[in-house]
Amino acid sequence: DVKVTQSSRYLVKRTGEKVFLECVQDMDHENMFWYRQDPGLGLRLIYFSYDVKMKEKGDIPEGYSVSREKKERFSLILESASTNQTSMYLCASRPQGSFNYGYTFGSGTRLTVV
Amino acid sequence: AQSVAQPEDQVNVAEGNPLTVKCTYSVSGNPYLFWYVQYPNRGLQFLLKYITGDNLVKGSYGFEAEFNKSQTSFHLKKPSALVSDSALYFCAVRDPTTGFQKLVFGTGTRLLVSP
């Protein structure tokens, strides 16, 4: 089975800190995605990457950046954490091309900014 | 813009009864539609998809979904609900306007199955 692993299940950070959320997939997928999930808002796309060092903004990129130096790893960076970034963050991956596979999601990181 | 709507925040059903979770979509071109389920403190798990072909799609855990082009709907169904089906369900549609085929998700519907 494809595995998408998010390094932390729960994180508590202080306002103004720089925060790194890590995601690793083990099936050589080209495409990787970062979503945030908030009650009543569903999943909203922050950034995605279609290959190493390639990235595209999603619907809500403000306050975030990403890094993809290796194919298997996609990092989400909160440059200066704020309380309105308290949320559940979900990483996903899928192979390029056919949509027969949909997405495979990690278990999520619940971030609290205090 | 591509979008999906899940009109119900929550659906309550008794165990053994049939369940329906509603989804309508708006997309340019042919719709690629998906259902995902999320159990507490977990990521999303793929349930089923419609790409083309038969309007009734069968998926994991006994779920199925009916694609209705005229009503732009893709409702999730199960003939007999289990308590263990209680979870958060998301409908999603492929966004064909970029070359990278993002998914656009609905706001989610919480399903509660009572014993």
Side-chain angles (χ1 to χ4, degrees), chain A residues 22-42:
Chain A
E22 305 290 344
C23 176
V24 176
Q25 51 96 1
D26 66 358
M27 282 300 290
D28 205 35
H29 285 175
E30 290 82 5
N31 296 351
M32 297 187 74
F33 306 81
W34 275 107
Y35 286 86
R36 64 175 283 176
Q37 180 183 3
D38 301 287
L41 297 177

Side-chain angles (χ1 to χ4, degrees), chain A residues 98-114:
Chain A
S98 167
F99 228 102
N100 284 331
Y101 299 100
Y103 286 16
T104 299
F105 281 87
S107 296
T109 297
R110 187 168 294 281
L111 173 67
T112 302
V113 182
V114 297

Side-chain angles (χ1 to χ4, degrees), chain A residues 21-78:
Chain A
L21 302 183
E22 305 290 344
C23 176
V24 176
Q25 51 96 1
D26 66 358
M27 282 300 290
D28 205 35
H29 285 175
E30 290 82 5
N31 296 351
M32 297 187 74
F33 306 81
W34 275 107
Y35 286 86
R36 64 175 283 176
Q37 180 183 3
D38 301 287
L41 297 177
L43 276 70
R44 293 178 292 167
L45 182 63
I46 305 171
Y47 266 97
F48 65 100
S49 168
Y50 50 93
D51 208 339
V52 176
K53 298 189 185 296
M54 309 304 286
K55 60 187 179 184
E56 290 283 336
K57 293 180 179 179
D59 300 316
I60 51 164
E62 296 78 19
Y64 302 95
S65 62
V66 290
S67 172
R68 190 149 180 220
E69 297 297 319
K70 294 185 178 181
K71 194 173 186 179
E72 67 270 20
R73 185 181 296 272
F74 190 35
S75 303
L76 179 69
I77 303 157
L78 285 66

Side-chain angles (χ1 to χ4, degrees), chain B residues 96-114:
Chain B
T97 60
T98 75
F100 310 109
Q101 302 190 31
K102 301 178 294 181
L103 284 183
V104 176
F105 287 84
T107 53
T109 298
R110 187 165 301 281
L111 174 66
L112 288 179
V113 182
S114 55

Side-chain angles (χ1 to χ4, degrees), chain B residues 11-59:
Chain B
V11 170
N12 297 303
V13 65
E15 189 173 32
N17 284 357
L19 69 88
T20 299
V21 182
K22 295 180 180 177
C23 172
T24 59
Y25 66 90
S26 174
V27 65
S28 55
N30 293 324
Y32 286 18
L33 296 156
F34 299 80
W35 276 102
Y36 285 82
V37 61
Q38 184 181 37
Y39 298 101
N41 298 313
R42 301 295 298 277
L44 276 67
Q45 297 178 30
F46 171 78
L47 272 181
L48 51 79
K49 67 180 185 292
Y50 172 83
I51 304 295
T52 187
D54 196 348
N55 288 346
L56 185 64
V57 179
K58 295 191 183 297

